[in-house]
Amino acid sequence: MTDLTRRRLIHGAGGALTLAALGACSRPSGPTELTADNGFVESTDPRVTDLEATRRRPGQRTVTAQLNARQVTLDLGGVTVPTWAYGDDIPGPIIRASAGDLVTVQVNNNLPTGTSVHWHGIQLRNDMDGVPGLTQSPIGVGASFTYSFTAPDPGTYWYHPHSGVQVDRALHGALIIDDPAEPGDYDVEWIVLMDDWVDGTGRTPDEILATLRASGGYVGMDAGQGGMKGMGGMNGGAGTTNSPSPSPSPSPSPSPSPSPESSSSSMGGMGMGGGSIMYPYYLVNGRLPSAPVTFTGKPGQRARIRFINVGADTAFRVALGGHRMTVTHTDGFAVTPTAADALVLGMGERYDVLVTLKDGVFPLAVVPEGKPGRARALVRTSAGQAPAESIRPAELDGHILLGPAIAPAESSRLPRRGPNRLLKMVLEGSMNPYRWTINGQRHPDVEPFPVESGERVRFKIMNRSSMFHPWHIHGHTFALAASGLRKDTVILRPMQVMYLELQADNPGLWMNHCHNLYHAESGMMSTLAYKR
């Protein structure tokens, strides 16, 4: 047995469910390892390479890139921080290819510890998924590893480590897969990465995780002063969590009261909990709101904006002052064009929008849901003075769109068929102790969710906590059973029950987890495991 498979010790799972048994879940038969000897498809299984061979085609183009993970000092716009990054800037290099291309990325690890790279949202081969201990061994200190995979689907994706809490540093970047058949009916394109930031301000993400585990409660920080304080162990009972009620971001004048629609659809209005950490800074493309990045265009042009939430613990609401947005894609898949004043993105989610640009200088406002603070960029189409940093666009409190309210384009729907298997997942947690579970268990001691190739799998996910959880399944997309919307990351609200449907067509061992980094690292991860 290899060292990699020895690390896969988790509780076992029963066999496949029949249609007649869809109302019940299989139960474990005892401890087991996710190995070929125990009937699972490992990342080294020939099925993985055989499937990749079918994705490749004669004359396939190869796109190459290199990421150099190392310790750096970055200027966020007047604030200098030591951190880890893939280069001299934040975000990391944009990697761009077309659907069907072979993407080959050499990762050189000059960090003081092992690392990896996960290609978020890509339905790629299992051995390239970048999860140490499951699909590969860590990239050791001073070592290199080359990821090579066919990118089958166009869309807005991103990359980041799947090693500890490294994603809460500057180790992230956009991965854009273009559609050669898309008409491209826009004039300019902007990529917008929204982030919560603490590294180098006096505490590291590892220290924050240690504080949460040791004392529970919420972690608050004083911007620019390196301070960190526990905000009290709020509810020690398993199965429920509570959210703080921070003061809203300052505004030069009273903001209009949210409409009933925005109150009911925004996460803050639903009391969803803003995560566990009050960050000192929030960034757009690595810049503080006092030194924002500027996107330029001309009046009347159509801009395609690709929004990516790369934050670790924060959902963001985003709006472009003076403009309405039309959502065209989410997580890479086309949707029925839907107009909105503002969007809410959970961690790991992506939305593409089209905007017809007006004449002037406008704030692209990004605010953390349920937390104080702000981030922003500027959109400039003509000369003029930039709006004050404190301006809060009225669009933030207008028609606010959440993913489940969007209908898919017909081309994005899964083929209609009934489920072969029902898998039930109960999400629970507490703040003191800081503990997050799936079906009452914590990773790595969580029963795997078994599937077989060719099945249509239905997940029933029950969020029994007072926190929202952005749920992500590696190597696949799923459809929201209620609407058919295709996604790979979706927000589950507190006490919400959601049904997801997935086509089991990518064999291997795949992570299935909350994309709140600190929830995942405190237990809310599991494995989708293909049976041989």
Side-chain angles (χ1 to χ4, degrees):
M1 187 187 304
T2 66
D3 289 341
L4 180 59
T5 57
R6 286 185 189 279
R7 286 194 294 274
R8 293 181 184 146
L9 180 62
I10 61 180
H11 292 96
L17 294 178
T18 66
L19 282 172
L22 278 174
C25 283
S26 51
R27 299 305 302 164
S29 57
T32 189
E33 292 175 341
L34 292 176
T35 64
D37 290 342
N38 289 322
F40 293 100
V41 178
E42 297 188 72
S43 60
T44 55
D45 193 287
R47 292 169 178 80
V48 173
T49 52
D50 290 348
L51 178 59
E52 175 68 7
T54 68
R55 296 185 178 122
R56 298 189 176 180
R57 51 179 172 75
Q60 182 182 43
R61 190 177 71 135
T62 299
V63 174
T64 61
Q66 187 174 102
L67 298 176
N68 299 304
R70 59 192 181 92
Q71 299 180 86
V72 298
T73 299
L74 298 179
D75 183 359
L76 305 180
V79 174
T80 302
V81 293
T83 188
W84 300 354
Y86 289 125
D88 296 327
D89 296 306
I90 174 177
I94 297 172
I95 300 176
R96 192 150 203 159
S98 292
D101 287 348
L102 180 66
V103 179
T104 301
V105 184
Q106 179 178 312
V107 179
N108 305 313
N109 181 18
N110 294 304
L111 300 172
T113 188
T115 192
S116 64
V117 177
H118 169 59
W119 312 94
H120 184 114
I122 299 288
Q123 297 184 68
L124 77 176
R125 54 188 292 169
N126 187 235
D127 56 344
M128 294 291 120
D129 194 45
V131 180
L134 190 71
T135 66
Q136 69 172 94
S137 297
I139 307 172
V141 176
S144 298
F145 183 86
T146 298
Y147 294 90
S148 183
F149 55 87
T150 298
D153 301 309
T156 300
Y157 305 99
W158 64 298
Y159 60 87
H160 61 83
H162 223 284
S163 300
V165 291
Q166 292 179 16
V167 72
D168 206 8
R169 298 179 187 262
L171 296 167
H172 57 254
L175 172 61
I176 307 300
I177 307 300
D178 291 310
D179 185 352
E182 189 176 64
D185 55 345
Y186 50 90
D187 303 294
V188 293
E189 180 191 77
W190 306 324
I191 301 172
V192 176
L193 282 72
M194 299 166 277
D195 195 12
D196 42 21
W197 188 268
V198 63
D199 199 32
T201 64
R203 294 293 187 274
T204 67
D206 296 276
E207 291 170 328
I208 289 174
L209 180 61
T211 297
L212 288 167
R213 287 175 171 174
S215 59
Y218 295 86
V219 175
M221 275 157 285
D222 301 319
Q225 300 178 14
M228 181 171 77
K229 59 182 180 178
M231 298 182 70
M234 311 221 10
N235 188 355
T240 58
T241 58
N242 288 318
S243 169
S245 299
S247 301
S249 303
S251 177
S253 59
S255 299
S257 299
S259 66
E261 179 178 25
S262 67
S263 294
S264 63
S265 61
S266 72
M267 294 203 309
M270 291 296 289
M272 296 186 88
S276 307
I277 302 161
M278 304 300 157
Y279 283 83
Y281 302 122
Y282 298 96
L283 312 177
V284 172
N285 288 7
R287 304 291 290 179
L288 294 166
S290 57
V293 63
T294 299
F295 300 104
T296 59
K298 297 178 181 179
Q301 285 187 325
R302 283 163 62 87
R304 179 176 187 167
I305 310 178
R306 298 177 184 263
F307 291 113
I308 308 174
N309 183 349
V310 302
D313 183 72
T314 308
F316 289 105
R317 189 188 308 191
V318 59
L320 176 57
H323 295 74
R324 295 204 89 196
M325 301 179 285
T326 299
V327 179
T328 61
H329 298 75
T330 178
D331 293 358
F333 282 92
V335 303
T336 300
T338 305
D341 295 309
L343 304 174
V344 172
L345 287 82
M347 297 79 87
E349 284 193 293
R350 292 93 60 213
Y351 285 89
D352 293 14
V353 306
L354 289 176
V355 176
T356 299
L357 300 176
K358 297 181 179 180
D359 189 352
V361 188
F362 307 94
L364 181 63
V366 176
V367 296
E369 286 287 329
K371 301 180 182 183
R374 68 176 76 238
R376 72 166 183 160
L378 295 176
V379 170
R380 179 179 289 276
T381 64
S382 63
Q385 185 174 355
E389 180 185 341
S390 58
I391 290 295
R392 178 183 174 91
E395 286 79 8
L396 285 171
D397 301 308
H399 172 44
I400 303 165
L401 196 61
L402 289 173
I406 305 173
E410 285 303 314
S411 61
S412 298
R413 291 184 180 273
L414 283 174
R416 297 184 185 279
R417 58 174 286 189
N420 304 101
R421 184 187 297 262
L422 177 71
L423 297 172
K424 294 182 180 179
M425 191 182 307
V426 178
L427 310 181
E428 296 178 294
S430 62
M431 294 298 288
N432 189 11
Y434 196 76
R435 182 177 186 272
W436 299 93
T437 63
I438 299 174
N439 293 345
Q441 299 173 321
R442 298 173 63 193
H443 187 267
D445 299 315
V446 176
E447 299 172 19
F449 292 93
V451 300
E452 295 184 8
S453 290
E455 290 185 323
R456 178 63 60 84
V457 180
R458 173 171 285 191
F459 281 92
K460 180 182 181 181
I461 307 181
M462 297 160 277
N463 181 6
R464 293 182 179 167
S465 77
S466 304
M467 281 282 186
F468 77 96
H469 301 292
W471 204 256
H472 177 50
I473 301 178
H474 287 210
H476 301 76
T477 60
F478 47 78
L480 307 189
S483 65
L485 183 70
R486 294 284 291 280
K487 291 184 67 62
D488 57 65
T489 310
V490 67
I491 292 173
L492 277 97
R493 302 185 190 185
M495 311 312 294
Q496 183 180 19
V497 177
M498 184 176 288
Y499 290 87
L500 311 177
E501 292 200 354
L502 172 150
Q503 187 63 33
D505 57 5
N506 199 7
L509 303 171
W510 302 99
M511 293 304 297
N512 173 31
H513 64 95
C514 177
H515 221 278
N516 182 311
L517 175 64
Y518 295 92
H519 292 180
E521 287 300 310
S522 299
M524 198 170 270
M525 292 194 289
S526 63
T527 308
L528 186 71
Y530 278 69
K531 297 178 72 69
R532 291 173 61 89

